[in-house]
Amino acid sequence: MEFSLCSLDCALPVEVTLDEDNGRYMIRKSDSSGEFFNTPHELILWIKSNFSPEEFCDPNEFQVMVNALTDYLINPTY
């Protein structure tokens, strides 16, 4: 599952990748730096701790992503 969210602080989007098949759990932030994680749980915890809806062009889009990621934790066969 991949998400690309428009960020208010830069023209580059924030990209979130949760790829269970290939073991890729990462975030590319709008400043082009990144974060890599060992598990989907770590990725989701980091997002909830470090991002807020107000940082994005469409705060609802951020919430939809968080909900989808949280649902994935509950039902990993998403």
Side-chain angles (χ1 to χ4, degrees):
M1 128 177 23
E2 294 187 36
F3 299 91
S4 183
L5 303 174
C6 174
S7 174
L8 292 174
D9 66 348
C10 187
L12 294 174
V14 170
E15 295 189 352
V16 176
T17 302
L18 191 158
D19 180 1
E20 189 81 51
D21 292 338
N22 296 304
R24 296 180 327 143
Y25 314 106
M26 59 190 158
I27 298 169
R28 189 192 75 197
K29 297 184 263 184
S30 58
D31 63 2
S32 76
S33 66
E35 300 288 337
F36 299 90
F37 306 93
N38 294 315
T39 66
H41 186 72
E42 291 174 2
L43 167 76
I44 295 164
L45 284 177
W46 192 95
I47 289 171
K48 289 180 176 181
S49 298
N50 293 281
F51 285 143
S52 67
E54 297 79 29
E55 296 177 53
F56 298 93
C57 298
D58 183 354
N60 187 54
E61 192 176 58
F62 172 79
Q63 195 58 50
V64 167
M65 176 190 69
V66 170
N67 290 343
L69 293 171
T70 302
D71 287 346
Y72 178 84
L73 283 181
I74 295 167
N75 182 16
T77 58
Y78 191 81

